[in-house]
Amino acid sequence: MPTPPSAYPIAAIAYFLTHPQLWGKVLCPFLLTLVFGIVSLVLSFVFLLPPQAHALINARCPDWLAWLVAVIFVLIESAVFDVIFFVVVMPIFQDALFDATLKARGMNRMFDTRVEVNGVLLCCRGISSGVLLVWFLVLAQILIWIVTAPLNLIPILGTIIACYINGWVACWSQHVHYDLEFRGFSVSESRQHAWKHKVSYCSFGVVAVALELVPLFNILFMWTNIVAAALWVADKYERNEKGAAQDLQLHQRWQQQPKLPENTFYPSVRGKPQYKPSGIDDEQHGLLQYTHHQDISMKDTTYTNTSSRAFA
């Protein structure tokens, strides 16, 4: 029985804690931001503080007040630089954590069967998903939280409803990297796919958003939710692989069946006879009719011919 989407954010916490090779992907952006913050603070005091202080003095502001205000401005500017740097760097390490989770899960074959995307197009999509889309999703989540804030006045139930509404955006943002760089989707196609599966996305997202509301631990859960998305994708990929393999086996069995006389098919229907083996439904029969005309090799092309279904 498939694991429900809502269980993955919880299971990902234990998975992350028991796989130390994933920890570095989380620590790196914080360490880089810390180093960048120290450097930007020093440079701001050296190059930005004197001009701002002199500008205030020239505006007939008292010297002591001009330097005090200039120091406050420099601290604010340095903090803004740090936030911008972290927002730009974070998606890179989120994608790296997603990929590392797939490899730790034993899904290296997903990197071999991923849809080939043009390098220039991938770069453009990476910029849009890594910077512009992140800002859009952050603003969208803030807006939705503002709109749904009154629901929190209702004890427990209101917070659950608010988390459910915000869950779709949160879940989609964690699948954008997979959709764009593994399946070859555009941002629009990724959004449409997420909306088509909004029930499962909301089910996953409601738990992920609720975890990010926990004080202190929400910084950790923000990253374990990325792990959860990767585990969910890996499980879906394996299920679709098994389904595609079963379809291929049915096709091969049908090809190995002895040919029957033409009058034993459907003698009352004129035209090209079509034999439908017993026990096979219409959807599988259609798949077999399609694959009957393809040159399929079970050993060499199982992953290649089933990758499109496995990525669904």
Side-chain angles (χ1 to χ4, degrees), residues 269-282:
V269 180
R270 296 183 179 182
K272 185 178 180 179
Q274 297 190 13
Y275 172 65
K276 178 178 178 180
S278 60
I280 298 181
D281 58 27
D282 293 334

Side-chain angles (χ1 to χ4, degrees), residues 251 254-255 272 287-296:
H251 164 65
W254 184 47
Q255 281 188 323
K272 185 178 180 179
L287 175 63
L288 295 180
Q289 282 186 313
Y290 173 76
T291 56
H292 178 68
H293 302 287
Q294 309 296 320
D295 184 17
I296 300 177

Side-chain angles (χ1 to χ4, degrees), residues 40-184:
S40 66
L41 187 62
V42 172
L43 294 178
S44 296
F45 272 98
V46 173
F47 295 102
L48 297 181
L49 179 60
Q52 295 182 62
H54 291 311
L56 291 173
I57 292 173
N58 292 335
R60 298 192 177 184
C61 181
D63 291 358
W64 66 271
L65 183 59
W67 285 99
L68 178 61
V69 172
V71 169
I72 295 175
F73 283 170
V74 166
L75 293 176
I76 294 174
E77 291 162 358
S78 179
V80 171
F81 292 152
D82 293 345
V83 170
I84 294 175
F85 178 82
F86 184 76
V87 169
V88 172
V89 169
M90 185 175 65
I92 299 174
F93 287 94
Q94 285 180 331
D95 294 348
L97 178 61
F98 188 98
D99 295 346
T101 303
L102 290 179
K103 293 177 181 179
R105 177 68 170 66
M107 303 299 294
N108 291 288
R109 59 187 180 277
M110 289 182 64
F111 296 86
D112 299 328
T113 58
R114 65 196 300 176
V115 176
E116 293 293 336
V117 181
N118 180 272
V120 177
L121 180 60
L122 183 60
C123 180
C124 295
R125 288 178 178 177
I127 294 173
S128 64
S129 64
V131 180
L132 300 180
L133 188 58
V134 166
W135 280 103
F136 169 77
L137 292 173
V138 169
L139 292 175
Q141 286 181 294
I142 293 174
L143 179 61
I144 294 174
W145 272 118
I146 293 174
V147 173
T148 58
L151 292 174
N152 292 290
L153 298 176
I154 305 174
I156 302 177
L157 181 60
T159 302
I160 294 175
I161 296 174
C163 290
Y164 188 85
I165 295 174
N166 286 272
W168 179 83
V169 177
C171 185
W172 174 41
S173 66
Q174 291 156 2
H175 282 74
V176 168
H177 166 62
Y178 170 69
D179 288 343
L180 269 59
E181 299 191 25
F182 282 80
R183 308 175 75 180

Side-chain angles (χ1 to χ4, degrees), residues 10 26-27 35 100 146 148 151 160-161 214 223 260 264 268 280 291:
I10 303 298
V26 176
L27 295 176
V35 173
I146 293 174
T148 58
L151 292 174
I160 294 175
I161 296 174
V214 179
W223 293 92
L260 299 179
T264 63
S268 61
I280 298 181
T291 56

